[in-house]
Amino acid sequence: MKHKYISKRYWKSHKNAMGQSDVIAKSYDDVINLSLGDPDINTPKPIIDAALAAAYQGHTKYTAFQGDPELIGAICKFYKEEYDMNISAEQVFVCSSATVGMHVVLESILDDGDEVILQTPYFTPYPQQVKLSRGVPVELPTYEEDEFQINADRLESLITERTKALVINTPNNPTGSCLHFDTMKKIAALAEKYDLIVIADDIYTDYSYENPFIPFASLPGMWERTITLNSFSKGFNMTGWRVGQIIAPEYLIDVFKDVNENICFTTPSISQRGAIYALEHRHELQPTLIEEYRTRVYYAAERINKISGMHVLYPPKGTFYLFPSIKETGKNSEEVADLMLREAHVLVLPGNAFGTCGEGYIRIACTVSLEKLKEAFDRIEKMEIFR
């Protein structure tokens, strides 16, 4: 909207399909919402109880600017136990979600005009976040026939003298793909060759179904040039708690702390106490959650491949998303998403919301029960374009 009191940067709307999905979901009374990665399962009760008890104990004030020391200690212990990585407290920053963390990171590392290569399809806020920090987003397309792996030659062809960083996301939102270890080694070699920072968005690491997750920062020579983002939102169903973490060399953490003080000061103290409990009891809390989403996503993939005009080429690798092709329908992703809403009352996101190479696909979030998924696919398979 053009208005003298609005920054010219926002005269042109930056709204995207994900940001508008909550409004669209209200279009019909019986909509089955498969658009957002906000699980239907509540945060495990023991986490809520622990946070409530902490609030009554007085944990209702600002924490240390870098984060609650107990949470930082729990994060360091987690990385040692799970990945044998020796991370010190000075190398951890607690942020108010990984989304805020990404803004803090980009604001801290980018100069005007620096280019950031984005593994595409990407999480929809990435490009605008780069622009808000005065950087230039550059799409690195990946393709279904390659299992959405990053092609090293394609990556190298996009690197210029202004390239500052590369954002990778594995397991990936929206495709559900996971980078192969050989692919990661090739990315690491290019990062070293061209002196790039790698920003690893690790938010879905708990949902790596085929192979154990390997942190990019653990690869030889990558610690000094990797910034790792993670969050409690997906692994513990804590989307509304808004607590995440950044792992990076100490000199970067100092800058993140300075930048964050001008954004939100500190991450909510009560949320941090809940996160401590979550990490310390993850082996009790997570297995049933992970198995539930695995069951859902495999069921959805099976149903998709029985519908004419829609398919996924390979079994689910990770996350609770599927990115089925709808190219055989002859319609674009926005048209198909619109038809699904109007005819089947099922809300999905069009693939082009996730970058140029997302056209021809839709994203389905398996964040509703199996019963609801069954009803959604029963409705979809009756649509004219899929018959």
Side-chain angles (χ1 to χ4, degrees):
M1 175 183 177
K2 182 177 180 180
H3 192 283
K4 64 179 180 179
Y5 294 146
I6 296 176
S7 167
K8 292 182 178 64
R9 287 177 297 167
Y10 294 97
W11 280 6
K12 183 177 179 180
S13 173
H14 296 291
K15 295 176 181 177
N16 58 54
M18 184 176 293
Q20 294 298 295
S21 61
D22 60 334
V23 177
I24 299 171
K26 299 173 184 176
S27 302
Y28 304 95
D29 292 337
D30 61 344
V31 165
I32 298 176
N33 191 345
L34 307 182
S35 68
L36 286 184
D38 195 0
D40 60 320
I41 303 171
N42 200 22
T43 303
K45 186 176 182 296
I47 297 175
I48 299 172
D49 291 342
L52 180 60
Y56 280 118
Q57 291 163 7
H59 291 279
T60 59
K61 305 180 185 302
Y62 295 130
T63 67
F65 291 160
Q66 193 171 328
D68 186 314
E70 288 186 54
L71 177 54
I72 290 174
I75 291 169
C76 294
K77 184 180 179 182
F78 167 83
Y79 274 88
K80 179 62 178 177
E81 291 178 350
E82 297 294 329
Y83 307 117
D84 198 26
M85 293 176 66
N86 295 309
I87 295 173
S88 71
E90 293 74 27
Q91 296 166 336
V92 179
F93 181 78
V94 178
C95 50
S96 300
S97 78
T99 303
V100 170
M102 180 65 82
H103 175 64
V104 168
V105 166
L106 294 171
E107 186 67 21
S108 299
I109 69 171
L110 296 184
D111 291 311
D112 292 16
D114 280 350
E115 296 174 358
V116 180
I117 297 175
L118 305 175
Q119 176 189 350
T120 312
Y122 48 61
F123 179 50
T124 55
Y126 287 167
Q128 186 61 18
Q129 286 185 308
V130 172
K131 293 176 183 177
L132 283 172
S133 295
R134 302 163 306 282
V136 179
V138 177
E139 292 191 20
L140 168 61
T142 62
Y143 299 102
E144 182 183 27
E145 55 268 29
D146 301 327
E147 296 187 8
F148 293 107
Q149 294 295 303
I150 289 176
N151 179 284
D153 292 336
R154 191 178 300 126
L155 169 58
E156 187 167 21
S157 72
L158 295 176
I159 298 171
T160 73
E161 68 279 358
R162 292 308 307 266
T163 305
K164 185 70 166 284
L166 163 69
V167 177
I168 62 172
N169 175 214
T170 180
N172 179 263
N173 173 13
T175 67
S177 65
C178 296
L179 293 178
H180 299 159
F181 185 58
D182 285 345
T183 300
M184 292 171 63
K185 288 194 293 185
K186 291 176 182 178
I187 295 169
L190 289 174
E192 194 162 27
K193 178 179 178 180
Y194 292 99
D195 196 20
L196 303 181
I197 299 170
V198 177
I199 304 171
D201 183 347
D202 286 1
I203 192 169
Y204 294 99
T205 54
D206 296 308
Y207 302 101
S208 182
Y209 304 130
E210 194 172 59
N211 295 301
F213 175 77
I214 299 174
F216 190 84
S218 69
L219 270 62
M222 288 302 106
W223 168 255
E224 285 299 322
R225 62 177 68 256
T226 302
I227 300 170
T228 301
L229 292 164
N230 210 330
S231 167
F232 290 80
S233 290
K234 311 301 181 179
F236 295 98
N237 288 8
M238 294 174 66
T239 54
W241 297 65
R242 312 319 292 147
V243 55
Q245 68 206 41
I246 310 173
I247 310 293
E250 184 176 345
Y251 73 94
L252 285 170
I253 297 294
D254 289 339
V255 181
F256 300 159
K257 183 173 66 174
D258 291 344
V259 171
N260 189 71
E261 285 176 21
N262 299 294
I263 298 173
C264 64
F265 218 51
T266 67
T267 298
S269 56
I270 300 170
S271 296
Q272 293 191 58
R273 300 309 296 185
I276 294 169
Y277 185 93
L279 270 188
E280 291 178 345
H281 296 83
R282 64 187 183 276
H283 297 304
E284 306 158 30
L285 299 170
Q286 287 189 315
T288 54
L289 293 176
I290 294 169
E291 188 57 35
E292 173 66 19
Y293 294 126
R294 182 204 299 264
T295 299
R296 291 180 183 185
V297 79
Y298 271 83
Y299 170 79
E302 183 180 352
R303 289 297 302 270
I304 286 167
N305 283 334
K306 291 179 180 178
I307 296 174
S308 177
M310 190 188 303
H311 72 262
V312 288
L313 281 182
Y314 50 87
K317 310 291 186 182
T319 77
F320 38 65
Y321 304 112
L322 290 169
F323 204 57
S325 170
I326 44 81
K327 295 177 182 178
E328 293 175 22
T329 67
K331 297 184 180 296
N332 65 40
S333 59
E334 290 189 3
E335 290 171 333
V336 170
D338 182 62
L339 284 170
M340 282 187 173
L341 178 62
R342 290 193 289 107
E343 296 182 9
H345 296 184
V346 174
L347 181 61
V348 300
L349 294 182
N352 64 357
F354 303 92
T356 305
C357 66
E359 182 53 73
Y361 299 84
I362 56 172
R363 193 192 75 171
I364 292 175
C366 298
T367 48
V368 300
S369 67
L370 276 177
E371 181 182 8
K372 282 288 184 183
L373 283 173
K374 180 181 185 303
E375 183 180 349
F377 287 111
D378 286 349
R379 294 183 191 179
I380 290 170
E381 67 184 6
K382 294 175 183 175
M383 292 173 59
E384 188 64 33
I385 60 169
F386 296 124
R387 299 178 68 183

